[in-house]
Amino acid sequence: RYPMEIKNDLHMLLTANHLEIMGFTRAMAYALLNRDDLPVMTIGRRKFVRKDTFFEWLTAHESTNTNTQQNNI
C-alpha cells in the first residue's frame, strides 16, 4: 500500500524524526510512539519502532478505520 521507495529509503528502526519525514506532525509522531498498541523499543530516553512493524501496524489500523467509516455511513 505504501510506495516501495519510502519503505526502502528508511532505516530499520524508525524514530519520531523519521515519522515526521513521512508526513506526520511532531506531535503525532510522539503520540504514535507513546501508544500502548504499537510495539516500541526504548533505548535511553529515545523510542524506536521497527520499520516493518510500523507499516504492518499502520496497514492494520487503516483497514480498521475504513471498516468503521463504512459501517457509519
Side-chain angles (χ1 to χ4, degrees), residues 2-15 18-19 22 33 38-41 48-59:
Y2 299 94
M4 217 42 180
E5 61 272 5
I6 290 176
K7 286 186 181 181
N8 292 335
D9 288 345
L10 297 174
H11 299 277
M12 202 169 130
L13 296 176
L14 303 177
T15 64
H18 292 113
L19 298 178
M22 292 169 39
L33 292 175
L38 179 63
V40 299
M41 292 177 276
F48 301 87
V49 61
R50 290 183 190 273
K51 175 176 66 171
D52 294 338
T53 300
F54 178 74
F55 281 105
E56 289 169 7
W57 179 89
L58 194 59
T59 299

mmCIF file of all heavy atoms in Angstrom, residues 2-15 18-19 22 33 38-41 48-59:
data_model
loop_
_atom_site.group_PDB
_atom_site.id
_atom_site.type_symbol
_atom_site.label_atom_id
_atom_site.label_comp_id
_atom_site.label_asym_id
_atom_site.label_seq_id
_atom_site.Cartn_x
_atom_site.Cartn_y
_atom_site.Cartn_z
ATOM 1 N N TYR A 2 1.989 1.200 0.631
ATOM 2 C CA TYR A 2 2.837 2.381 0.711
ATOM 3 C C TYR A 2 3.935 2.268 -0.332
ATOM 4 O O TYR A 2 4.436 1.186 -0.594
ATOM 5 C CB TYR A 2 3.423 2.523 2.125
ATOM 6 C CG TYR A 2 2.314 2.672 3.125
ATOM 7 C CD1 TYR A 2 1.809 1.571 3.802
ATOM 8 C CD2 TYR A 2 1.709 3.898 3.335
ATOM 9 C CE1 TYR A 2 0.757 1.703 4.684
ATOM 10 C CE2 TYR A 2 0.662 4.040 4.217
ATOM 11 C CZ TYR A 2 0.187 2.937 4.881
ATOM 12 O OH TYR A 2 -0.862 3.075 5.737
ATOM 13 N N PRO A 3 4.277 3.384 -0.961
ATOM 14 C CA PRO A 3 5.277 3.338 -2.030
ATOM 15 C C PRO A 3 6.554 2.653 -1.566
ATOM 16 O O PRO A 3 7.056 2.904 -0.484
ATOM 17 C CB PRO A 3 5.531 4.815 -2.343
ATOM 18 C CG PRO A 3 4.330 5.538 -1.839
ATOM 19 C CD PRO A 3 3.811 4.728 -0.681
ATOM 20 N N MET A 4 7.060 1.747 -2.405
ATOM 21 C CA MET A 4 8.237 0.971 -2.063
ATOM 22 C C MET A 4 9.441 1.853 -1.798
ATOM 23 O O MET A 4 10.239 1.563 -0.925
ATOM 24 C CB MET A 4 8.526 0.004 -3.214
ATOM 25 C CG MET A 4 9.026 -1.327 -2.824
ATOM 26 S SD MET A 4 8.180 -2.021 -1.399
ATOM 27 C CE MET A 4 9.068 -3.512 -1.335
ATOM 28 N N GLU A 5 9.557 2.981 -2.521
ATOM 29 C CA GLU A 5 10.720 3.844 -2.306
ATOM 30 C C GLU A 5 10.728 4.442 -0.906
ATOM 31 O O GLU A 5 11.777 4.646 -0.314
ATOM 32 C CB GLU A 5 10.830 4.942 -3.365
ATOM 33 C CG GLU A 5 9.659 5.903 -3.435
ATOM 34 C CD GLU A 5 8.519 5.458 -4.337
ATOM 35 O OE1 GLU A 5 8.575 4.333 -4.870
ATOM 36 O OE2 GLU A 5 7.560 6.220 -4.499
ATOM 37 N N ILE A 6 9.552 4.676 -0.319
ATOM 38 C CA ILE A 6 9.503 5.187 1.052
ATOM 39 C C ILE A 6 9.992 4.104 2.006
ATOM 40 O O ILE A 6 10.816 4.348 2.871
ATOM 41 C CB ILE A 6 8.076 5.632 1.439
ATOM 42 C CG1 ILE A 6 7.700 6.891 0.666
ATOM 43 C CG2 ILE A 6 7.970 5.872 2.942
ATOM 44 C CD1 ILE A 6 6.281 7.350 0.909
ATOM 45 N N LYS A 7 9.495 2.891 1.850
ATOM 46 C CA LYS A 7 9.893 1.801 2.734
ATOM 47 C C LYS A 7 11.382 1.504 2.625
ATOM 48 O O LYS A 7 12.046 1.268 3.614
ATOM 49 C CB LYS A 7 9.094 0.535 2.418
ATOM 50 C CG LYS A 7 7.679 0.569 2.873
ATOM 51 C CD LYS A 7 7.053 -0.781 2.626
ATOM 52 C CE LYS A 7 5.615 -0.814 3.037
ATOM 53 N NZ LYS A 7 5.025 -2.127 2.809
ATOM 54 N N ASN A 8 11.914 1.486 1.416
ATOM 55 C CA ASN A 8 13.303 1.109 1.218
ATOM 56 C C ASN A 8 14.281 2.186 1.644
ATOM 57 O O ASN A 8 15.428 1.890 1.959
ATOM 58 C CB ASN A 8 13.544 0.732 -0.247
ATOM 59 C CG ASN A 8 12.829 -0.546 -0.622
ATOM 60 O OD1 ASN A 8 12.550 -1.380 0.217
ATOM 61 N ND2 ASN A 8 12.521 -0.690 -1.894
ATOM 62 N N ASP A 9 13.871 3.436 1.638
ATOM 63 C CA ASP A 9 14.772 4.528 1.997
ATOM 64 C C ASP A 9 14.905 4.714 3.505
ATOM 65 O O ASP A 9 15.783 5.434 3.954
ATOM 66 C CB ASP A 9 14.295 5.847 1.374
ATOM 67 C CG ASP A 9 14.521 5.885 -0.124
ATOM 68 O OD1 ASP A 9 15.284 5.032 -0.629
ATOM 69 O OD2 ASP A 9 13.934 6.751 -0.778
ATOM 70 N N LEU A 10 14.055 4.090 4.274
ATOM 71 C CA LEU A 10 14.081 4.283 5.715
ATOM 72 C C LEU A 10 15.021 3.298 6.392
ATOM 73 O O LEU A 10 15.303 2.224 5.878
ATOM 74 C CB LEU A 10 12.672 4.112 6.283
ATOM 75 C CG LEU A 10 11.638 5.118 5.800
ATOM 76 C CD1 LEU A 10 10.264 4.740 6.327
ATOM 77 C CD2 LEU A 10 12.000 6.520 6.232
ATOM 78 N N HIS A 11 15.467 3.674 7.572
ATOM 79 C CA HIS A 11 16.299 2.798 8.384
ATOM 80 C C HIS A 11 15.454 1.665 8.934
ATOM 81 O O HIS A 11 14.231 1.706 8.913
ATOM 82 C CB HIS A 11 16.919 3.592 9.527
ATOM 83 C CG HIS A 11 17.793 4.700 9.060
ATOM 84 N ND1 HIS A 11 19.098 4.504 8.691
ATOM 85 C CD2 HIS A 11 17.561 6.012 8.881
ATOM 86 C CE1 HIS A 11 19.630 5.646 8.319
ATOM 87 N NE2 HIS A 11 18.711 6.589 8.412
ATOM 88 N N MET A 12 16.122 0.662 9.485
ATOM 89 C CA MET A 12 15.406 -0.469 10.061
ATOM 90 C C MET A 12 14.585 -0.059 11.290
ATOM 91 O O MET A 12 13.501 -0.564 11.521
ATOM 92 C CB MET A 12 16.406 -1.559 10.449
ATOM 93 C CG MET A 12 15.807 -2.908 10.544
ATOM 94 S SD MET A 12 17.131 -4.102 10.670
ATOM 95 C CE MET A 12 16.554 -5.011 12.061
ATOM 96 N N LEU A 13 15.125 0.871 12.083
ATOM 97 C CA LEU A 13 14.408 1.394 13.240
ATOM 98 C C LEU A 13 13.999 2.827 12.958
ATOM 99 O O LEU A 13 14.809 3.631 12.511
ATOM 100 C CB LEU A 13 15.298 1.352 14.490
ATOM 101 C CG LEU A 13 15.717 -0.024 14.982
ATOM 102 C CD1 LEU A 13 16.678 0.115 16.154
ATOM 103 C CD2 LEU A 13 14.517 -0.853 15.375
ATOM 104 N N LEU A 14 12.748 3.140 13.224
ATOM 105 C CA LEU A 14 12.241 4.484 12.976
ATOM 106 C C LEU A 14 12.168 5.276 14.272
ATOM 107 O O LEU A 14 11.815 4.734 15.319
ATOM 108 C CB LEU A 14 10.842 4.406 12.359
ATOM 109 C CG LEU A 14 10.707 3.624 11.064
ATOM 110 C CD1 LEU A 14 9.249 3.594 10.628
ATOM 111 C CD2 LEU A 14 11.586 4.196 9.985
ATOM 112 N N THR A 15 12.458 6.555 14.181
ATOM 113 C CA THR A 15 12.333 7.485 15.298
ATOM 114 C C THR A 15 11.214 8.470 14.975
ATOM 115 O O THR A 15 10.642 8.450 13.881
ATOM 116 C CB THR A 15 13.641 8.273 15.499
ATOM 117 O OG1 THR A 15 13.860 9.084 14.335
ATOM 118 C CG2 THR A 15 14.828 7.350 15.728
ATOM 119 N N HIS A 18 11.921 10.264 11.765
ATOM 120 C CA HIS A 18 11.559 9.530 10.548
ATOM 121 C C HIS A 18 10.068 9.650 10.262
ATOM 122 O O HIS A 18 9.659 9.801 9.114
ATOM 123 C CB HIS A 18 11.945 8.049 10.677
ATOM 124 C CG HIS A 18 13.407 7.812 10.715
ATOM 125 N ND1 HIS A 18 14.045 7.339 11.836
ATOM 126 C CD2 HIS A 18 14.361 7.999 9.783
ATOM 127 C CE1 HIS A 18 15.333 7.226 11.580
ATOM 128 N NE2 HIS A 18 15.554 7.631 10.344
ATOM 129 N N LEU A 19 9.264 9.572 11.313
ATOM 130 C CA LEU A 19 7.814 9.700 11.125
ATOM 131 C C LEU A 19 7.460 11.093 10.620
ATOM 132 O O LEU A 19 6.565 11.242 9.780
ATOM 133 C CB LEU A 19 7.078 9.379 12.426
ATOM 134 C CG LEU A 19 7.264 7.954 12.968
ATOM 135 C CD1 LEU A 19 6.530 7.786 14.287
ATOM 136 C CD2 LEU A 19 6.823 6.915 11.960
ATOM 137 N N MET A 22 7.978 11.310 7.002
ATOM 138 C CA MET A 22 6.900 10.625 6.290
ATOM 139 C C MET A 22 5.634 11.468 6.225
ATOM 140 O O MET A 22 4.686 11.102 5.543
ATOM 141 C CB MET A 22 6.604 9.283 6.962
ATOM 142 C CG MET A 22 7.731 8.290 6.799
ATOM 143 S SD MET A 22 7.596 6.807 7.810
ATOM 144 C CE MET A 22 5.889 6.401 7.785
ATOM 145 N N LEU A 33 4.396 6.984 19.034
ATOM 146 C CA LEU A 33 5.423 6.239 19.766
ATOM 147 C C LEU A 33 5.058 6.019 21.228
ATOM 148 O O LEU A 33 5.689 5.202 21.902
ATOM 149 C CB LEU A 33 6.770 6.965 19.661
ATOM 150 C CG LEU A 33 7.387 6.968 18.261
ATOM 151 C CD1 LEU A 33 8.651 7.820 18.228
ATOM 152 C CD2 LEU A 33 7.685 5.547 17.790
ATOM 153 N N LEU A 38 1.270 -0.022 19.870
ATOM 154 C CA LEU A 38 2.362 -0.011 18.900
ATOM 155 C C LEU A 38 3.637 -0.428 19.623
ATOM 156 O O LEU A 38 4.101 0.280 20.522
ATOM 157 C CB LEU A 38 2.542 1.382 18.276
ATOM 158 C CG LEU A 38 3.662 1.524 17.262
ATOM 159 C CD1 LEU A 38 3.425 0.633 16.041
ATOM 160 C CD2 LEU A 38 3.806 2.972 16.821
ATOM 161 N N PRO A 39 4.199 -1.589 19.266
ATOM 162 C CA PRO A 39 5.400 -2.061 19.966
ATOM 163 C C PRO A 39 6.613 -1.171 19.663
ATOM 164 O O PRO A 39 7.007 -1.040 18.506
ATOM 165 C CB PRO A 39 5.632 -3.467 19.408
ATOM 166 C CG PRO A 39 4.433 -3.814 18.604
ATOM 167 C CD PRO A 39 3.730 -2.535 18.269
ATOM 168 N N VAL A 40 7.144 -0.547 20.692
ATOM 169 C CA VAL A 40 8.323 0.305 20.537
ATOM 170 C C VAL A 40 9.439 -0.183 21.453
ATOM 171 O O VAL A 40 9.199 -0.903 22.418
ATOM 172 C CB VAL A 40 8.027 1.797 20.843
ATOM 173 C CG1 VAL A 40 6.982 2.350 19.903
ATOM 174 C CG2 VAL A 40 7.602 1.982 22.276
ATOM 175 N N MET A 41 10.655 0.204 21.109
ATOM 176 C CA MET A 41 11.821 -0.068 21.938
ATOM 177 C C MET A 41 12.298 1.251 22.503
ATOM 178 O O MET A 41 12.340 2.243 21.779
ATOM 179 C CB MET A 41 12.943 -0.667 21.094
ATOM 180 C CG MET A 41 12.659 -2.040 20.580
ATOM 181 S SD MET A 41 13.989 -2.608 19.535
ATOM 182 C CE MET A 41 13.488 -1.858 17.992
ATOM 183 N N PHE A 48 12.032 3.889 19.585
ATOM 184 C CA PHE A 48 12.186 3.404 18.227
ATOM 185 C C PHE A 48 11.092 2.382 17.947
ATOM 186 O O PHE A 48 10.642 1.681 18.844
ATOM 187 C CB PHE A 48 13.540 2.700 18.043
ATOM 188 C CG PHE A 48 14.726 3.562 18.344
ATOM 189 C CD1 PHE A 48 15.216 3.661 19.637
ATOM 190 C CD2 PHE A 48 15.348 4.272 17.337
ATOM 191 C CE1 PHE A 48 16.312 4.455 19.918
ATOM 192 C CE2 PHE A 48 16.453 5.068 17.605
ATOM 193 C CZ PHE A 48 16.930 5.154 18.903
ATOM 194 N N VAL A 49 10.702 2.304 16.700
ATOM 195 C CA VAL A 49 9.779 1.263 16.253
ATOM 196 C C VAL A 49 10.401 0.633 15.012
ATOM 197 O O VAL A 49 10.995 1.317 14.180
ATOM 198 C CB VAL A 49 8.356 1.827 15.967
ATOM 199 C CG1 VAL A 49 8.363 2.867 14.875
ATOM 200 C CG2 VAL A 49 7.391 0.704 15.641
ATOM 201 N N ARG A 50 10.296 -0.672 14.917
ATOM 202 C CA ARG A 50 10.820 -1.356 13.731
ATOM 203 C C ARG A 50 10.008 -0.918 12.516
ATOM 204 O O ARG A 50 8.785 -0.818 12.577
ATOM 205 C CB ARG A 50 10.727 -2.866 13.890
ATOM 206 C CG ARG A 50 11.666 -3.429 14.905
ATOM 207 C CD ARG A 50 11.541 -4.951 14.942
ATOM 208 N NE ARG A 50 12.246 -5.508 16.054
ATOM 209 C CZ ARG A 50 13.539 -5.827 16.028
ATOM 210 N NH1 ARG A 50 14.235 -5.652 14.930
ATOM 211 N NH2 ARG A 50 14.112 -6.334 17.091
ATOM 212 N N LYS A 51 10.708 -0.684 11.428
ATOM 213 C CA LYS A 51 10.057 -0.204 10.205
ATOM 214 C C LYS A 51 8.943 -1.154 9.775
ATOM 215 O O LYS A 51 7.816 -0.723 9.521
ATOM 216 C CB LYS A 51 11.096 -0.057 9.090
ATOM 217 C CG LYS A 51 10.517 0.309 7.748
ATOM 218 C CD LYS A 51 11.577 0.534 6.698
ATOM 219 C CE LYS A 51 12.328 -0.725 6.382
ATOM 220 N NZ LYS A 51 13.207 -0.571 5.213
ATOM 221 N N ASP A 52 9.245 -2.441 9.700
ATOM 222 C CA ASP A 52 8.238 -3.413 9.253
ATOM 223 C C ASP A 52 7.048 -3.460 10.207
ATOM 224 O O ASP A 52 5.901 -3.527 9.772
ATOM 225 C CB ASP A 52 8.853 -4.803 9.114
ATOM 226 C CG ASP A 52 9.883 -4.859 7.997
ATOM 227 O OD1 ASP A 52 9.837 -3.996 7.086
ATOM 228 O OD2 ASP A 52 10.739 -5.761 8.021
ATOM 229 N N THR A 53 7.332 -3.399 11.499
ATOM 230 C CA THR A 53 6.264 -3.407 12.498
ATOM 231 C C THR A 53 5.371 -2.189 12.326
ATOM 232 O O THR A 53 4.143 -2.293 12.390
ATOM 233 C CB THR A 53 6.864 -3.421 13.921
ATOM 234 O OG1 THR A 53 7.663 -4.594 14.069
ATOM 235 C CG2 THR A 53 5.790 -3.393 14.977
ATOM 236 N N PHE A 54 5.978 -1.023 12.091
ATOM 237 C CA PHE A 54 5.196 0.195 11.943
ATOM 238 C C PHE A 54 4.263 0.118 10.734
ATOM 239 O O PHE A 54 3.077 0.431 10.835
ATOM 240 C CB PHE A 54 6.112 1.422 11.815
ATOM 241 C CG PHE A 54 5.333 2.684 11.603
ATOM 242 C CD1 PHE A 54 4.632 3.258 12.648
ATOM 243 C CD2 PHE A 54 5.281 3.285 10.357
ATOM 244 C CE1 PHE A 54 3.884 4.417 12.454
ATOM 245 C CE2 PHE A 54 4.543 4.437 10.157
ATOM 246 C CZ PHE A 54 3.844 4.999 11.208
ATOM 247 N N PHE A 55 4.783 -0.334 9.587
ATOM 248 C CA PHE A 55 3.935 -0.396 8.396
ATOM 249 C C PHE A 55 2.844 -1.454 8.530
ATOM 250 O O PHE A 55 1.724 -1.259 8.050
ATOM 251 C CB PHE A 55 4.775 -0.598 7.134
ATOM 252 C CG PHE A 55 5.410 0.678 6.662
ATOM 253 C CD1 PHE A 55 6.765 0.909 6.855
ATOM 254 C CD2 PHE A 55 4.663 1.671 6.058
ATOM 255 C CE1 PHE A 55 7.355 2.086 6.434
ATOM 256 C CE2 PHE A 55 5.231 2.864 5.635
ATOM 257 C CZ PHE A 55 6.583 3.060 5.828
ATOM 258 N N GLU A 56 3.140 -2.559 9.205
ATOM 259 C CA GLU A 56 2.104 -3.568 9.454
ATOM 260 C C GLU A 56 1.019 -3.001 10.364
ATOM 261 O O GLU A 56 -0.172 -3.190 10.122
ATOM 262 C CB GLU A 56 2.724 -4.817 10.089
ATOM 263 C CG GLU A 56 3.571 -5.626 9.141
ATOM 264 C CD GLU A 56 4.378 -6.706 9.841
ATOM 265 O OE1 GLU A 56 4.185 -6.929 11.060
ATOM 266 O OE2 GLU A 56 5.224 -7.313 9.171
ATOM 267 N N TRP A 57 1.447 -2.304 11.415
ATOM 268 C CA TRP A 57 0.508 -1.686 12.349
ATOM 269 C C TRP A 57 -0.348 -0.641 11.631
ATOM 270 O O TRP A 57 -1.563 -0.591 11.801
ATOM 271 C CB TRP A 57 1.297 -1.047 13.511
ATOM 272 C CG TRP A 57 0.452 -0.355 14.515
ATOM 273 C CD1 TRP A 57 -0.112 -0.908 15.631
ATOM 274 C CD2 TRP A 57 0.068 1.018 14.506
ATOM 275 N NE1 TRP A 57 -0.819 0.054 16.313
ATOM 276 C CE2 TRP A 57 -0.730 1.244 15.646
ATOM 277 C CE3 TRP A 57 0.317 2.080 13.648
ATOM 278 C CZ2 TRP A 57 -1.275 2.486 15.938
ATOM 279 C CZ3 TRP A 57 -0.228 3.320 13.944
ATOM 280 C CH2 TRP A 57 -1.014 3.507 15.078
ATOM 281 N N LEU A 58 0.291 0.175 10.816
ATOM 282 C CA LEU A 58 -0.411 1.228 10.098
ATOM 283 C C LEU A 58 -1.433 0.636 9.131
ATOM 284 O O LEU A 58 -2.572 1.092 9.060
ATOM 285 C CB LEU A 58 0.605 2.092 9.347
ATOM 286 C CG LEU A 58 0.136 3.421 8.791
ATOM 287 C CD1 LEU A 58 -0.381 4.313 9.899
ATOM 288 C CD2 LEU A 58 1.284 4.104 8.063
ATOM 289 N N THR A 59 -1.049 -0.412 8.426
ATOM 290 C CA THR A 59 -1.964 -1.067 7.496
ATOM 291 C C THR A 59 -3.147 -1.682 8.236
ATOM 292 O O THR A 59 -4.293 -1.552 7.794
ATOM 293 C CB THR A 59 -1.216 -2.154 6.691
ATOM 294 O OG1 THR A 59 -0.176 -1.524 5.947
ATOM 295 C CG2 THR A 59 -2.153 -2.875 5.741
#
